[in-house]
Amino acid sequence: MWFGEFFTRSIVLSFVVALFWMPVLGITLYGVKAVFDLLQDEPIALAMLVVLFVQPILVLLFILAIRGGMMALKVTDGSEIGKLFSVTWRVLRFNVPLMTVIITLFGLSFMLTGLNLSGNPFLDELAEASSLSARFKSYFVKEAALQFPVAVSAGWVLGICVAYAAMGVSVAAAAAMAVAKPPNHFTIWGIGAQFVNLLVLSLVIVFVPFVLFVIAFGGMKLDMEYLLGLDPFLYYSIAVYAIWAFCVLAAGAALAYSLALQAEEERRAAEMEAMAGMARDRERVDLAALRKSRMHNQD
């Protein structure tokens, strides 16, 4: 499918995904707020919960968003609650580690290269702050972190786009198995499928807006201290756009899965037709040999 059509269909499908997914997001955010209110006086327990559950919750939300798109495309049935958790575990133990490796490779290489080429003293200041005594370390590490140039985070965003393109269909294939009668998708099914369409989609929706935002607010001079001091209305706008971008990426993964599924069915049909043709040819050869044998016996 040409990217223009893929992009347009993903955008249209994203609004259907949003209608399906927004109530789920609202319930999840309410539950998170309730936990924070309950454990606001227990920072250690709260931090442990965040570390343990933030990634599984994000993966489950993405799976549910993808399933919304797949149901709109009629390539899956209604979800089974128990299967949703097993599918989430499957993605966490296989897809997420691979995506983490891709994101880290892009993020670290771009960040270190950007800091070295720009001559930014962030790494030196961070190393100096880390070498101080515990009494002063936290303060100076915080001060150094506030001087972190946001522009060098572009590598992490690019890594997310590449990881999404590589694993989008595979995650969607796992999401498709959260039904009573799941399809027979093996673990690596769909890796790299529709890579170009998914990559360009994520670059347009995620990477390009990030780069434009950085350029608009100072380029390499934009640091975390300035970013944290922006107008709160801008934060709300970014949050709204991030939620919509999440829906677009989920819609793109669902659409890419439907295309990969269609391509596999066409390939199987072609193989079956080729096998049937070979059988017909073999049958003709056998019949010709039989006639020749009979004629020879009559002689």
Side-chain angles (χ1 to χ4, degrees), residues 31-295:
V32 170
K33 181 180 181 303
V35 171
F36 268 80
D37 291 340
L38 183 65
L39 298 177
Q40 60 181 344
D41 296 328
E42 300 290 340
I44 296 178
L46 187 59
M48 290 178 62
L49 286 177
V50 169
V51 171
L52 290 174
F53 291 106
V54 64
Q55 195 173 65
I57 289 174
L58 288 175
V59 170
L60 180 59
L61 287 173
F62 192 53
I63 288 173
L64 289 172
I66 292 175
R67 285 196 56 78
M70 291 194 297
M71 291 183 70
L73 294 170
K74 295 181 170 50
V75 292
T76 190
D77 299 322
S79 304
E80 291 279 331
I81 298 298
K83 294 287 183 66
L84 279 174
F85 293 108
S86 64
V87 163
T88 300
W89 170 242
R90 170 177 168 167
V91 174
L92 281 169
R93 66 183 172 84
F94 177 72
N95 298 93
V96 169
L98 292 178
M99 295 175 75
T100 302
V101 170
I102 295 172
I103 294 169
T104 303
L105 287 175
F106 276 86
L108 283 180
S109 59
F110 192 96
M111 184 179 71
L112 295 177
T113 302
L115 290 173
N116 289 329
L117 291 178
S118 65
N120 191 288
F122 169 75
L123 291 178
D124 295 334
E125 293 178 1
L126 186 63
E128 183 179 353
S130 301
S131 65
L132 297 174
S133 62
R135 181 179 178 182
F136 301 102
K137 182 182 295 185
S138 60
Y139 173 78
F140 284 101
V141 167
K142 179 181 177 181
E143 288 297 312
L146 289 175
Q147 307 307 314
F148 177 77
V150 178
V152 298
S153 300
W156 297 96
V157 179
L158 180 60
I160 291 173
C161 295
V162 175
Y164 163 77
M167 293 290 169
V169 176
S170 180
V171 174
M177 300 182 70
V179 294
K181 295 181 180 179
N184 187 25
H185 293 322
F186 48 90
T187 306
I188 62 173
W189 192 96
I191 291 181
Q194 296 292 317
F195 179 85
V196 175
N197 279 336
L198 291 176
L199 178 61
V200 179
L201 176 68
S202 59
L203 290 176
V204 172
I205 297 298
V206 179
F207 184 74
V208 172
F210 175 83
V211 172
L212 293 177
F213 174 83
V214 171
I215 293 174
F217 286 90
M220 286 299 296
K221 295 181 180 180
L222 176 63
D223 56 22
M224 289 300 298
E225 184 175 14
Y226 182 82
L227 184 64
L228 293 174
L230 293 175
D231 192 302
F233 178 76
L234 186 60
Y235 294 139
Y236 298 138
S237 301
I238 293 173
V240 171
Y241 182 83
I243 291 172
W244 178 72
F246 194 92
C247 293
V248 174
L249 296 183
L255 180 57
Y257 170 77
S258 70
L259 295 174
L261 199 62
Q262 181 181 352
E264 184 182 33
E265 291 174 353
E266 291 175 353
R267 178 181 59 80
R268 287 180 178 176
E271 289 177 353
M272 294 297 294
E273 185 176 350
M275 292 175 62
M278 292 174 60
R280 286 193 297 269
D281 293 340
R282 190 181 299 112
E283 185 179 356
R284 292 193 191 99
V285 172
D286 292 341
L287 288 173
L290 181 59
R291 291 194 192 98
K292 187 175 181 180
S293 175
R294 286 178 178 177
M295 292 175 63

